[in-house]
């Protein structure tokens, strides 16, 4: 979100109310598209926004936008629809002269396309889940391997030459223990990564990402857009003091 919001804050000219609302709407639509994607893959976001009306109550979309969204009856995901609305806003801004030239308009549209492609990549990874048999086979293979190592890497030494009585070699299998820690550790990490959008403490906090993106985007394109310090050159004394300390 921090990648394209500065461009919308500075390439979309105008300080009037329409220009402000256009910049804010583009950022809000991007966050709305992110919410629509995360609702399908994250348990936390699904519980936070169980229905589309909860998105309206949270301020991510208006009632008119919800009616327009639900009027498109297609049997597939419609997360791309808010991105399309944002592209339309950019084209309208170019027609009205708020975006100065076609090059800036193309850059703004490209940023929306990149953001949409990232969301599509996230959907693709979630769309093809890892079969349950894969982690089961890996778990069984790892534990069976070390059960075999437990016996196969122990040496039997005869107490006396030509004696039928054997004794265990009591040397500590350090490398086998290290190997066990690495293999089992990697396996546990891989199992936790199978569902990184769950509700465990180690899973991704997608709710925080959504709130952060919306707040940061609105601050960049609207609230702190023109809040900059005045041009100021450090005095000669401050330079001299810094050189003396160094």
């Amino acid at each position: 979100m921090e990648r394209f919001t500065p461009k919308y804050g500075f390439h979309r000219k105008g300080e009037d109310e329409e220009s402000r609302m256009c910049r804010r709407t583009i950022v809000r639509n991007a966050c709305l598209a992110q919410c629509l994607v995360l609702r399908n893959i994250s348990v936390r976001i699904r519980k936070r926004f169980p229905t589309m009306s909860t998105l309206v109550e949270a301020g991510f979309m208006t009632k008119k936008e919800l009616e327009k969204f639900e009027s498109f009856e297609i049997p597939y995901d419609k997360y791309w629809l808010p991105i399309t609305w944002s592209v339309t806003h950019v084209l309208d801004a170019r027609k009205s002269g708020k975006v100065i030239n076609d090059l800036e308009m193309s850059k703004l549209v490209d940023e929306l396309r990149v953001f949409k492609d990232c969301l599509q990549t996230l959907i693709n990874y979630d769309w093809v889940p890892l079969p349950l048999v894969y982690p089961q086979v890996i778990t069984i293979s790892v534990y069976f391997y070390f059960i075999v190592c437990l016996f196969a890497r122990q040496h039997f030494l005869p107490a006396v030459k030509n004696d039928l009585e054997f004794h265990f070699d009591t040397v500590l299998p350090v490398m086998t223990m290290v190997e066990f820690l690495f293999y089992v550790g990697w396996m546990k990490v891989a199992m936790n990564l199978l569902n990184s959008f769950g509700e465990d403490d180690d899973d991704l906090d997608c709710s925080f990402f959504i709130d952060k993106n919306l707040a940061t985007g609105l601050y960049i394109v609207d609230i702190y857009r023109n809040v900059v310090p005045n041009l100021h050159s450090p005095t000669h004394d401050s330079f001299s003091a810094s050189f003396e300390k160094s």
Side-chain angles (χ1 to χ4, degrees), residues 95-114:
K95 293 178 182 179
S96 62
K98 298 297 183 180
V99 177
I100 297 178
N101 52 54
D102 294 337
L103 179 60
E104 291 186 357
M105 181 193 69
S106 177
K107 289 182 178 179
L108 297 179
V109 173
D110 285 342
E111 291 297 332
L112 285 173
R113 179 188 57 80
V114 171

Side-chain angles (χ1 to χ4, degrees), residues 25-56:
T25 301
I26 290 174
V27 173
R28 182 173 54 80
N29 285 340
C31 293
L32 174 60
Q34 189 179 39
C35 288
L36 294 176
V37 171
L38 293 178
R39 282 183 73 247
N40 295 331
I41 64 178
S42 175
V43 179
R44 291 182 180 179
I45 303 303
R46 171 62 70 172
K47 289 184 176 180
R48 180 181 176 183
F49 305 114
T51 60
M52 294 297 297
S53 60
T54 55
L55 290 172
V56 177

Side-chain angles (χ1 to χ4, degrees), residues 1 4 24-39 45 49 51-52 54-56 58-62 65-66 69 78-83 85-86 115 119 210 213-214:
M1 185 64 68
F4 71 85
R24 294 173 65 91
T25 301
I26 290 174
V27 173
R28 182 173 54 80
N29 285 340
C31 293
L32 174 60
Q34 189 179 39
C35 288
L36 294 176
V37 171
L38 293 178
R39 282 183 73 247
I45 303 303
F49 305 114
T51 60
M52 294 297 297
T54 55
L55 290 172
V56 177
F60 286 96
M61 65 189 313
T62 63
E65 290 174 346
L66 178 59
F69 185 86
K78 296 183 289 186
Y79 74 94
W80 46 266
L81 196 54
I83 303 295
W85 295 342
S86 295
F115 185 75
L119 295 179
I210 291 175
N213 288 339
L214 181 61

Side-chain angles (χ1 to χ4, degrees), residues 18-19 39 71 77 81 88 108 111 163 174 194 196-197 217 241:
E18 181 183 357
S19 300
R39 282 183 73 247
S71 64
D77 291 332
L81 196 54
T88 303
L108 297 179
E111 291 297 332
D163 190 359
V174 177
L194 286 177
S196 57
F197 294 98

Side-chain angles (χ1 to χ4, degrees), residues 10 15 222-228:
F10 296 103
E15 300 300 330
D222 185 18
I223 301 176
Y224 285 150
R225 178 170 176 265
N226 294 321
V227 180
V228 294

Side-chain angles (χ1 to χ4, degrees), residues 134-170:
Y134 284 9
Q136 291 176 346
V137 169
I138 293 174
T139 302
I140 294 174
S141 300
V142 170
Y143 283 112
F144 180 76
Y145 171 76
F146 283 104
I147 290 175
V148 173
C149 289
L150 183 63
F151 296 97
R153 295 186 179 181
Q154 295 185 31
H155 301 285
F156 296 94
L157 301 176
V160 184
K161 188 176 182 180
N162 298 327
D163 190 359
L164 297 179
E165 184 179 359
F166 289 87
H167 301 276
F168 287 109
D169 186 6
T170 57

